[in-house]
Amino acid sequence: MARQADRFVNPYTFIPLTRRTAVAGLGVQEDSSSPITGVIHCTLETMRPIAVPGSQPKDDDTPIPFFKIAGEPAIPGSSLRGCIRNVFETITASCVRTNGELLHSTSGLKQPGLLKKRADGKYELFAAKRYGVKKDFLARNHKSGERVMFNGREGRTATSGTVLDIGSRCRRTGWFLHVNTIDTGEANHPSVFEQGKSLGVIDARYVDIALRENIAKYNKKDEESKRLKRTAEEGDAPKNAFAQEYEDAFNRMIRGDGLLPVWYGMQKGNGVKSYQFSWAQVSRSVYPVTPQTFVAQKALSPCTSERNACPACSLFGFVPTSGGEGAARASRVRFSDATLVSGCQYHFMKDKDGLDPYLPPLMEPRQSAFEMYLRNAKYPHTFTPESEGTELAGRKAYWHHQDQLQWGEPKETVSGEQLTRRMEVLDAQSTFEFDVYLDGITKEQLNSLLWALTFGQYWTGSDDCWHLIGHGKPVGLGSVRIAVDGIQTRTVDMQGYHVLDEASWKMNLAKVEKLLDSSSVRALKHVANHTTIPATSDISYPATEPEGDIFEWFAKNRQAFNRNTDLPVYGTCLPSIDASNQSMPRNPPTPGPSNSVTEPRPNAKLSNMVLIAGTAATAKSDATPVEVVPRYEGVIRNISMSKSGIVIGRIGSQSGKELFCHINFSPNMDPNEWKLRFKKGVRVSFEIQPNPKGKDDVAANIEFL
């Protein structure tokens, strides 16, 4: 069957975070009277090709070899441990260890301003007019943050102009700003900022985050920068030449000495008014709300105490965050390397030239992609990290590909850095064996670990759910199936060792899943099921066409700042994990309140449901099937406003019947955002639901076509 050319499925989804709760038998605070020691024997079968890199070659031309032991392909125990721990963390609502380097950020043109530290300790922002300094003014004569006298000529806009002269006899007062050159030899002219009206007091956290993440972080104090000195000619200034100079000016302003030229962005709406500061007009700046902030709101911050360790840290152990000092806990489990089963035949994949294939460039997490990494139930299509109701989308998980393999081509950056490398890729149908050693754990921990190893299939005997391991998950690599072949357990007391039979420690599946977080279990089984995404789906990163430019898709999908709200507006957002349709449009709709995929209703259950001509067809799934509500197409006939300002519209369906649409009966969106798209003549699809007020049926769960 042909794939849909106009739609794609994003390679990853998110399992929503649930608040941590204490579970008896899964924490360190419960001292088991009969701790279990032993070993679990496992078999791993590659269901899709996998890429597990070994030692890194010294040159870019040599393919990255597969990990090997004694010349045979193997999978290191560390990779197995990380894979199983991720599953265990999810099903037990354990702590989330986020990368401290990942920050929510935004980019775009900013306005000139001046920042001041007042006598009362508060920060005040002033509007400013920026006058460009011609190249023939010697840069060495002035520094960033320096107060200067100048004469200037007005520019084409109210916030621009040109400096004609600088000196004590000039009439105007301003503050000098140097910025880094784009590269050596590329001129980037300095500016003088003239003070305008006050824009009010600024929360100190915006100033703090600007200094830590937008200024000091990019002032690289390496030996090369120290050797390079600024010359008289502006265009000859080395990259990063003025970073320390600006950081010094920033610190003087914090001490109350003078005004600091800044480029600022302001966003207002959704109950907040936020600012971003940088020292260049076109730059990236970060928000004070970080991924760690959202994790803390769910009580899922990384464990720092052995006494209060989460279930995953209790079993797998933990070390102090960021490599610092503090509490740590030893692991109670150890994973051996997975070695090839004796006599197993294997071979490595080759491209059309008979060589190791190139993997395409794989994306790092982009915390600026709010429509992917964040969620906001109140404002689904126009929000920032600071908007009321914003939260992390959840724990990242990748979909399984059924029959796609996406090889890459040689590709490098403008500077010649390699973006793609050849890599040894092991084909499917290879079988490995490994062991998991246990040291003094509870029977609850043992049974939960067995669930994590097999997605509960240790009890059911099914094989629908697979793990993902190694490199290349977004492009169809890494799917493996793990089976438990045998378990040997014992306890030890004053009388010696005692071998345990299965009946003494094994719990039934229902009791095991009562220990776990039920919503996470359902979601994880959904994404781990290798049949969830149809074979006809094109699983790929967002792009306007297959293998197209990712940046272009995101640019089309969002309107940087809506005139009414000063907030980003997204045409479509990543479907939630329980949405029946995971596909997204390659040509995103005009940014507005509609999503290309219907937002799930609050009590929707997971299922593999396919809507066919308004009826429900159920695919094989462990989840309970639910009825799919038929959808209809129509045109908005008219709109009006009630006294409360809520939009009311009338929709005409294909049958000619007209229905009221009230925003309260549709996805819960900001009325101001809703009005951007809810206009006469616009085509929509919708469901029909009973009116809670007992009147005629209403149109609900609107999608704009």
Side-chain angles (χ1 to χ4, degrees):
M1 296 179 65
R3 292 190 173 90
Q4 287 182 290
D6 60 341
R7 300 186 73 84
F8 69 94
V9 173
N10 195 59
Y12 57 83
T13 183
F14 292 92
I15 299 173
L17 298 178
T18 56
R19 187 174 293 274
R20 183 193 304 175
T21 57
V23 180
L26 294 183
V28 294
Q29 64 274 19
E30 292 104 7
D31 294 324
S32 174
S33 58
S34 301
I36 298 172
T37 299
V39 60
I40 304 173
H41 303 294
C42 301
T43 298
L44 181 150
E45 183 180 358
T46 60
M47 310 307 291
R48 302 274 291 157
I50 65 171
V52 180
S55 58
Q56 185 79 11
K58 294 182 179 180
D59 62 275
D60 292 338
D61 296 328
T62 303
I64 300 175
F66 198 91
F67 181 80
K68 297 182 180 70
I69 296 177
E72 297 288 332
I75 302 172
S78 57
S79 296
L80 296 167
R81 174 190 174 88
C83 171
I84 303 305
R85 175 164 183 157
N86 285 340
V87 174
F88 195 90
E89 287 176 346
T90 300
I91 61 176
T92 58
S94 291
C95 71
V96 178
R97 292 181 173 257
T98 59
N99 185 341
E101 295 296 315
L102 296 180
L103 299 167
H104 297 302
S105 62
T106 184
S107 62
L109 297 173
K110 296 176 175 63
Q111 300 296 317
L114 286 162
L115 199 57
K116 177 182 180 180
K117 179 78 170 287
R118 305 193 318 187
D120 61 3
K122 296 181 179 180
Y123 293 97
E124 186 173 4
L125 177 65
F126 295 88
K129 187 168 185 176
R130 181 256 185 183
Y131 291 84
V133 179
K134 291 295 185 181
K135 183 178 178 180
D136 56 351
F137 285 100
L138 297 182
R140 62 182 176 176
N141 291 343
H142 306 285
K143 293 184 177 181
S144 290
E146 178 184 346
R147 182 175 178 270
V148 297
M149 304 298 295
F150 75 99
N151 289 331
R153 180 178 63 234
E154 303 305 312
R156 296 182 179 180
T157 67
T159 59
S160 67
T162 303
V163 171
L164 299 177
D165 192 15
I166 295 178
S168 58
R169 296 183 180 181
C170 297
R171 296 184 176 183
R172 290 182 165 176
T173 301
W175 301 85
F176 200 86
L177 173 66
H178 268 304
V179 292
N180 279 347
T181 56
I182 297 174
D183 205 346
T184 302
E186 291 290 335
N188 200 349
H189 302 312
S191 308
V192 173
F193 283 22
E194 185 179 38
Q195 185 176 350
K197 66 178 182 179
S198 173
L199 299 176
V201 174
I202 303 301
D203 192 316
R205 63 185 181 139
Y206 296 115
V207 178
D208 176 64
I209 197 72
L211 178 59
R212 287 189 295 108
E213 303 298 341
N214 294 114
I215 308 302
K217 185 174 181 179
Y218 295 103
N219 181 13
K220 299 177 181 178
K221 301 178 175 64
D222 52 48
E223 292 301 319
E224 181 66 16
S225 294
K226 291 178 182 178
R227 287 196 299 269
L228 294 173
K229 295 182 179 180
R230 186 171 68 244
T231 62
E233 289 296 327
E234 179 75 15
D236 294 331
K239 189 175 182 180
N240 204 48
F242 306 114
Q244 183 62 55
E245 182 179 291
Y246 191 80
E247 185 177 348
D248 293 341
F250 206 119
N251 286 315
R252 288 198 302 272
M253 182 276 297
I254 291 176
R255 295 193 298 268
D257 182 7
L259 277 69
L260 178 75
V262 294
W263 292 95
Y264 73 91
M266 180 177 67
Q267 296 173 341
K268 57 183 178 180
N270 296 352
V272 297
K273 188 175 184 179
S274 62
Y275 294 86
Q276 297 83 40
F277 298 110
S278 65
W279 68 324
Q281 185 180 22
V282 182
S283 66
R284 180 161 294 280
S285 50
V286 302
Y287 290 86
V289 178
T290 67
Q292 294 90 329
T293 306
F294 295 121
V295 167
Q297 291 171 356
K298 294 286 188 179
L300 295 174
S301 295
C303 293
T304 57
S305 168
E306 183 176 4
R307 177 181 295 273
N308 298 316
C310 68
C313 289
S314 297
L315 183 61
F316 289 85
F318 69 92
V319 295
T321 56
S322 303
E325 297 181 357
R329 177 174 173 79
S331 176
R332 298 280 182 177
V333 294
R334 180 174 66 84
F335 287 74
S336 73
D337 297 328
T339 56
L340 206 65
V341 171
S342 177
C344 176
Q345 299 297 312
Y346 69 89
H347 71 275
F348 292 107
M349 302 288 291
K350 301 297 179 182
D351 62 14
K352 62 181 184 298
D353 298 320
L355 301 174
D356 293 317
Y358 282 96
L359 256 61
L362 302 178
M363 303 298 294
E364 295 180 352
R366 301 289 182 182
Q367 301 303 115
S368 58
F370 302 151
E371 65 267 56
M372 297 291 187
Y373 282 85
L374 299 177
R375 287 280 188 273
N376 192 304
K378 190 171 184 179
Y379 310 104
H381 294 273
T382 176
F383 62 88
T384 71
E386 292 191 274
S387 297
E388 179 186 356
T390 298
E391 60 182 9
L392 278 183
R395 303 175 194 263
K396 198 172 190 179
Y398 288 89
W399 299 109
H400 290 281
H401 299 228
Q402 290 202 35
D403 61 357
Q404 274 183 281
L405 279 178
Q406 302 171 28
W407 302 129
E409 297 290 341
K411 191 173 183 180
E412 60 183 29
T413 64
V414 176
S415 60
E417 181 182 356
Q418 291 290 332
L419 288 175
T420 57
R421 291 285 301 276
R422 291 192 184 275
M423 180 177 289
E424 280 192 325
V425 177
L426 185 67
D427 202 356
Q429 299 181 337
S430 298
T431 305
F432 297 82
E433 294 176 334
F434 69 94
D435 294 323
V436 183
Y437 296 93
L438 318 173
D439 181 16
I441 68 175
T442 67
K443 71 175 183 179
E444 290 84 3
Q445 289 175 322
L446 172 55
N447 282 272
S448 299
L449 178 60
L450 289 171
W451 198 103
L453 282 164
T454 65
F455 298 102
Q457 295 170 164
Y458 171 72
W459 287 265
T460 65
S462 59
D463 60 358
D464 293 336
C465 294
W466 300 343
H467 290 281
L468 282 162
I469 200 165
H471 282 205
K473 301 179 186 74
V475 296
L477 303 181
S479 296
V480 300
R481 179 174 61 194
I482 294 177
V484 172
D485 298 327
I487 304 171
Q488 298 171 312
T489 57
R490 65 178 186 268
T491 60
V492 59
D493 56 25
M494 298 298 293
Q495 283 71 45
Y497 291 98
H498 305 280
V499 176
L500 300 177
D501 58 20
E502 186 180 83
S504 65
W505 57 260
K506 187 176 180 181
M507 303 164 61
N508 65 48
L509 181 58
K511 287 186 177 180
V512 175
E513 293 192 341
K514 281 187 177 180
L515 299 173
L516 311 178
D517 180 70
S518 58
S519 62
S520 297
V521 165
R522 289 195 303 271
L524 187 59
K525 289 174 71 174
H526 186 60
V527 72
N529 190 310
H530 66 92
T531 65
T532 297
I533 303 300
T536 55
S537 299
D538 184 7
I539 304 178
S540 65
Y541 285 118
T544 55
E545 58 185 21
E547 301 180 8
D549 189 348
I550 296 176
F551 174 80
E552 183 180 354
W553 187 91
F554 280 100
K556 283 188 174 183
N557 187 53
R558 66 181 62 169
Q559 179 177 309
F561 291 94
N562 176 261
R563 294 179 181 178
N564 295 329
T565 64
D566 288 330
L567 294 171
V569 180
Y570 314 111
T572 186
C573 294
L574 183 70
S576 60
I577 192 172
D578 54 358
S580 59
N581 183 1
Q582 288 292 329
S583 68
M584 302 174 70
R586 288 205 176 278
N587 188 18
T590 302
S594 96
N595 196 345
S596 61
V597 178
T598 304
E599 295 290 335
R601 292 182 292 280
N603 296 321
K605 296 181 180 180
L606 290 173
S607 64
N608 289 339
M609 305 296 293
V610 182
L611 184 61
I612 303 174
T615 62
T618 308
K620 180 181 178 182
S621 173
D622 290 336
T624 303
V626 295
E627 180 184 1
V628 173
V629 179
R631 295 192 67 81
Y632 303 88
E633 290 190 10
V635 176
I636 298 176
R637 301 295 190 194
N638 56 63
I639 57 174
S640 62
M641 294 292 292
S642 69
K643 292 181 180 179
S644 62
I646 301 298
V647 176
I648 301 175
R650 189 179 287 272
I651 294 177
S653 69
Q654 290 176 322
S655 63
K657 181 179 180 180
E658 290 195 346
L659 298 166
F660 276 109
C661 168
H662 193 290
I663 192 169
N664 287 349
F665 304 151
S666 301
N668 188 10
M669 299 179 181
D670 180 359
N672 290 328
E673 177 197 349
W674 186 259
K675 287 187 293 185
L676 294 174
R677 293 292 303 281
F678 200 86
K679 297 177 181 179
K680 185 176 180 180
V682 171
R683 294 195 62 80
V684 295
S685 69
F686 57 93
E687 297 171 2
I688 299 176
Q689 295 183 1
N691 190 331
K693 296 184 178 180
K695 299 180 181 180
D696 293 337
D697 290 344
V698 296
N701 294 323
I702 306 295
E703 291 184 13
F704 290 78
L705 301 175

